[in-house]
Amino acid sequence: MNFGRAAVLAIVALLVSCPAPFGYFPDGFAEDIADELGDGSATSAVARPRVVTSSMYFGGEDDITNADVAFETNQSISLTTETEDARIFYTLNGDSPSPNAENVFEYSPESPIEITEDGSVVEIRAVALKRLMYPSEIVSATVSVDYDTVSTPAFSPAGGSSLVDPVLAQNPIEISISTQTPDAEIHFTISTDGTLPPVPVPGSPGVTQYTGPIALADDATTYAIKAVAVRDQARSSTVRTAVYRVDWAEASAPIVSPAPGLFHDDITVTLETEALVDALYYTIADGLHSEPDDPDPSNAAHLYTGPIPLTRNSRLKVIAVAAGGANVSEVAEHAYEFTPYPPVFDLPPGAIALPAPVSIESQTPGTTIAVALGSGPPAPYSGPFDVTSSSIENGRISLTASATRDGWTPSSTAATYAVYWNAPQPWSLAIDPAGKIVSVAPSQNSITRYELDGEFMSDIQIEGPPHSPRGLGFGPIQSTAYAAFTESNVVYALAYPDYSNAAPVGTGNYTLNGPRDVVIDSDGSMYIAEAAGGRILRKDFSGITSVFADESVFDPAIGDAWAYENPGPFALAVHRYDVGTVQQDHEYVFAVATRLHRLFVFRKDGNVRAEVQIPAAGGHTTSLPRGVAVHEDGHVYVMAAHNQQIHVYKPEWAITGNGDYTLYDFTEVFRYDASHTAGQVWGSLPRGVAVRDDLLYVGATGQNRIYMIPRQVDQYGSVPLE
């Protein structure tokens, strides 16, 4: 070794061992010395530091040496080197980390570099040093912290955004608040005085941390809520406002369906309410009439959860409860009455052959039937039985029956009549002023009178020249009856009730031509139907006779082949309708023109108000109407001889602007035939028809019988069933 090189090594060793700079060399100095040393045997350099970040919120480590990185949370920075016992010096402002410079810090593992302010940007430069070793490479890292913003709270149910636009609630409600940011806390303020609350600042007076649903329960109150979501190492959320108005629903009594009334089958009742309520309650009691000890429904009663079955007479009480029980409706009570359908007989009215089997059925399950024969007491029905001639009372067999069921109102009484009349050729029928049924028999030249219940009263033979009576009418003077004698071309007045002292009715300058029927209106005017003459004559109360209707109405051209011989009406009726004002006269004359197959309806001034064509049936091409009668309810019954049917028509009215009624048409609503007389046919060309109260009388001319049929009516008792 030469002296020069030894001197250099001594100087380097002295510098390296010098405690003041701890062997620190400025940048590039060690390399220069190494070059000068020549053989490269100098001591080695310290391993460079590593800059490691550990998230203070999320945890985990990342090597960010010589990197530029950004974080959303605070960061804890560690500096490490692989050289044992090396010391690390660093700066936070990007300056060179020279140990002797200002703002240079020595790193301690117990004191990591903490970056804890939102918006911080720190430029770290670090170097590792050790005695007798070259300094490490200087490393750097730029770290920025930019906090995330917490998600804005959400209200459920959503509220209004201002005091003038609140969300309305009809019941107490609970408000939930949430945020999508994990681990965030929600703080809120609330007001009920009609003003907005202050912005919630956590920890401030009047600010509450949200821990669960907020109850809004006071009636007539506006609730305003402001909420903010916060979290450590995050920016607070936007403040959200929600406004609610609680006005309790007015609890009205529930609506029941079906409505209370009379029922023939078990039912289920549903409850509904138009307002938003908490619950519906009900009680049920047997019977139809309230009792002092009947309980009212409350929350201790039945809670309504679905249709309520009712199977007997019941009183149903119902209430609605709202606002958590603070608002209760009035109690509504409803009575539901149950009655079985009337029993059904298999013995329809009409002439029957004896003995006749009878059976009875009920359309309502679970019923018991009681049946009475004639005037006998009711007895339980146990099965089919026979009626015999010993059952005849007053010319008929009558049966009545009713059905009962436990807890139900007994059914209405069903009745059927087995008519047992023999009547001599009942050509036309009429009801006399005493309510007796009267039959006119041309071939017998007689008038036969019966009680309505079927008892034969008298067979009055008409004395004197007239013969073949065809029609009979009664006027307002009850001591007189009028009979039309077709073949004698005369109308006779007869003393009523024994039909004696026959005296011809004068018709002035008019000679009768085949008079078939006669009726008298409420004013005492007489109307005479002339089939052969094709007209109706009217003789008013003063005795003046005039043509009421002629062939201008009864035009043979619209009839069948025999219309030219008998174009006029065969039967008449008169009826006054009680409609409109007292100034209106709604009395009408009804005429059936047999060969024209039509019903004509006239006002008393002769004006035709309706013309109804009677349709053919039963294989016939023509209906051949022969009789007409009007019930007190205004329905018209027309006997169609070819059809062997009775057609029932109801009047159609129009109301004028001044409130008056105008009759404009008739609509067919029902037909009677042999099925209503126990299958007993009416024979060829039945003619007579009469109706009164609940009974319809059929003159079966060819059978020499009168059938009596209970009139078919609907639930109102007045309109024939369709």
Side-chain angles (χ1 to χ4, degrees), residues 10-226:
I11 293 171
V12 170
L14 179 63
L15 290 172
V16 170
S17 62
C18 179
F22 299 100
Y24 174 77
F25 295 94
D27 293 347
F29 183 79
E31 289 80 357
D32 294 340
I33 294 300
D35 290 339
E36 290 182 6
L37 294 178
D39 59 5
S41 61
T43 183
S44 61
V46 179
R48 74 172 189 174
R50 291 176 62 243
V51 182
V52 178
T53 180
S54 176
S55 171
M56 296 179 66
Y57 185 77
F58 293 106
E61 294 185 350
D62 290 299
D63 186 340
I64 59 171
T65 305
N66 295 326
D68 186 351
V69 292
F71 298 94
E72 294 178 349
T73 59
N74 296 347
Q75 299 296 310
S76 179
I77 308 298
S78 301
L79 304 178
T80 64
T81 179
E82 294 179 355
T83 301
E84 188 176 358
D85 297 329
R87 300 168 68 183
I88 300 174
F89 295 86
Y90 66 93
T91 61
L92 300 176
N93 58 6
D95 291 347
S96 178
S98 173
N100 298 325
E102 293 183 357
N103 299 318
V104 177
F105 308 95
E106 182 175 358
Y107 177 77
S108 170
E110 288 75 23
S111 301
I113 303 169
E114 308 292 352
I115 304 176
T116 59
E117 292 185 8
D118 183 28
S120 299
V121 179
V122 176
E123 184 180 352
I124 302 171
R125 299 192 71 192
V127 65
L129 303 177
K130 186 175 179 180
R131 290 177 182 273
L132 303 179
M133 295 185 71
Y134 289 115
S136 74
E137 172 189 339
I138 295 176
V139 297
S140 66
T142 300
V143 179
S144 58
V145 173
D146 187 9
Y147 287 170
D148 192 10
T149 300
V150 179
S151 174
T152 303
F155 290 83
S156 180
S161 59
S162 68
L163 292 170
V164 297
D165 186 29
V167 167
L168 302 179
Q170 293 183 311
N171 278 319
I173 57 173
E174 289 188 338
I175 306 301
S176 298
I177 313 176
S178 61
T179 178
Q180 296 182 359
T181 301
D183 299 320
E185 295 178 353
I186 297 174
H187 297 259
F188 69 92
T189 54
I190 187 169
S191 67
T192 58
D193 60 359
T195 64
L196 292 175
V199 172
V201 177
S204 299
V207 179
T208 303
Q209 182 176 344
Y210 176 80
T211 58
I214 305 167
L216 311 183
D218 293 338
D219 185 25
T221 301
T222 298
Y223 293 87
I225 305 173
K226 287 187 176 182

Side-chain angles (χ1 to χ4, degrees), residues 266-498:
D266 297 341
I267 63 171
T268 57
V269 177
T270 57
L271 306 184
E272 298 178 351
T273 179
E274 296 178 351
L276 179 64
V277 299
D278 297 339
L280 307 176
Y281 295 93
Y282 66 94
T283 60
I284 301 176
D286 291 342
L288 300 175
H289 304 290
S290 297
E291 301 293 340
D293 58 351
D294 282 353
D296 285 337
S298 65
N299 56 7
H302 299 290
L303 172 65
Y304 177 76
T305 58
I308 305 166
L310 295 183
T311 59
R312 59 195 297 125
N313 290 346
S314 303
R315 303 187 305 280
L316 180 65
K317 290 186 176 183
V318 294
I319 61 168
V321 176
N327 197 348
V328 180
S329 74
E330 295 180 353
V331 176
E333 182 172 357
H334 307 283
Y336 288 84
E337 183 176 7
F338 293 85
T339 183
Y341 288 104
V344 178
F345 292 92
D346 74 342
L347 182 69
I352 63 171
L354 299 178
V358 178
S359 63
I360 312 172
E361 294 182 357
S362 173
Q363 299 178 13
T364 304
T367 58
T368 300
I369 298 175
V371 59
L373 181 60
S375 59
Y381 172 75
S382 57
F385 60 93
D386 288 341
V387 293
T388 64
S389 59
S390 63
S391 306
I392 299 174
E393 295 180 4
N394 297 325
R396 71 178 182 183
I397 297 170
S398 63
L399 294 167
T400 57
S402 64
T404 59
R405 177 173 159 179
D406 184 41
W408 289 38
T409 301
S411 75
S412 58
T413 299
T416 189
Y417 307 94
V419 179
Y420 212 69
W421 289 353
N422 286 318
Q425 197 185 31
W427 188 277
S428 67
L429 302 179
I431 306 293
D432 73 8
K436 298 178 176 62
I437 183 74
V438 181
S439 170
V440 175
S443 64
Q444 305 295 321
N445 199 36
S446 67
I447 298 173
T448 305
R449 183 173 60 198
Y450 303 87
E451 291 284 5
L452 282 181
D453 65 2
E455 181 181 358
F456 176 80
M457 291 293 292
S458 60
D459 185 356
I460 302 168
Q461 194 77 22
I462 305 299
E463 302 294 340
H467 63 281
S468 299
R470 299 293 178 97
L472 188 67
F474 300 91
I477 302 176
Q478 296 190 2
S479 62
T480 305
Y482 299 89
F485 292 83
T486 304
E487 294 182 14
S488 301
N489 290 320
V490 66
V491 171
Y492 268 77
L494 305 173
Y496 174 82
D498 57 3

